[in-house]
Each structure stands twice: as C-alpha cells, then as structure tokens.
Amino acid sequence: MIATALRRLEADHGFPEPFRGTVARRKVDAKLPGVVGGGSGSSARVDPWIEMTMLNVLYFARLRESLGRDAEKIELPAGVADVAGLTAWLRARGEAWERELAPGRSWRVAVNQDMARPESPVRDGDEVAFFPPVTGG
C-alpha cells in the first residue's frame, strides 16, 4: 500500500534527486516522531515523511550469546546519528542489552569494519559490529 502511494506520488510530483531510491523513508502519524510545532492545543503539524536509517548490526562472542542473536537489521529513529546514540538506543531495550552494553563493561564497536569511537557517525546502510575485546598470540 505504501509502495503504491510512493510510486503514485513520484509519478505525479517526483522526488528530489537526493531522496530518489537512496534513503529509506516512512510515513508517520502524529503519535510518532515527526511532529513539528508545539504540544496539545497548538497548531502543530506533522512532517509526513521521516528519514529512517537502516543498519546491519552484528554481535560477536559473549554479546551474541547474551543477546540471543548474531545479527539484525534495524531501523533507527531520526536523531540517532552516531555510535553513542545507537548504543543508548540499544540499551533502552532493557535487561541483557543494558547489562552487556553498559559503560563499565568491556566491549568494542566497528563501523564498516573500522574501529569506531562513540562520536563516530552511523549512516544508512552501514554495518555496525559489537564485540568483546580480543587478544591474539
């Protein structure tokens, strides 16, 4: 249904070049992020199209076992733009997530196979890997 509406909208009006097939976009209602303006009783309007960032997230070793998955594709809400934001968003899932990704726990993160810091950006289509520190010999 949404795909049909998008095709019809694009046929009638076209999308600006930067958005044509490059960024996942989702229709939202006033209960979701995208509200522009004030609170109740105001003339707030809804931005009907919110950019969503799709990531491929991988979990290794202890994290894979504790979190019960080795990978997932996730859709981040607007405003989550770096490793710190992603980590906080994952921690908000509760229990095992909060415990394993706690600031005092020992773990590392890589974005597109490069070691990353909390301020490292995450962008649509990135691969983000969480893993415990590794030593070799």
Side-chain angles (χ1 to χ4, degrees):
M1 186 160 94
I2 290 176
T4 302
L6 285 173
R7 282 192 297 274
R8 189 174 306 138
L9 184 62
E10 185 172 8
D12 291 346
H13 304 286
F15 286 139
E17 185 61 37
F19 298 113
R20 201 169 294 142
T22 60
V23 178
R25 296 176 66 76
R26 169 185 276 180
K27 181 93 167 140
V28 296
D29 63 29
K31 296 179 186 134
L32 296 174
V35 175
V36 179
S40 92
S42 75
S43 60
R45 66 184 180 7
V46 176
D47 178 358
W49 300 101
I50 298 294
E51 288 185 22
M52 301 299 282
T53 302
M54 298 293 299
L55 300 176
N56 186 30
V57 182
L58 308 173
Y59 307 98
F60 293 95
R62 177 192 87 228
L63 296 170
R64 177 184 59 229
E65 293 163 13
S66 296
L67 302 175
R69 62 189 73 188
D70 61 354
E72 65 181 317
K73 289 194 182 302
I74 58 174
E75 194 172 308
L76 291 180
V80 176
D82 58 20
V83 169
L86 170 62
T87 304
W89 186 78
L90 289 171
R91 268 192 220 118
R93 291 178 167 179
E95 301 187 18
W97 300 91
E98 194 170 354
R99 182 180 61 251
E100 289 298 334
L101 298 175
R105 290 296 301 244
S106 184
W107 50 272
R108 302 289 182 262
V109 64
V111 176
N112 298 324
Q113 300 183 11
D114 290 323
M115 294 301 293
R117 302 182 52 78
E119 63 275 6
S120 297
V122 291
R123 296 182 180 91
D124 188 51
D126 281 351
E127 176 186 82
V128 181
F130 288 90
F131 52 93
V134 184
T135 60

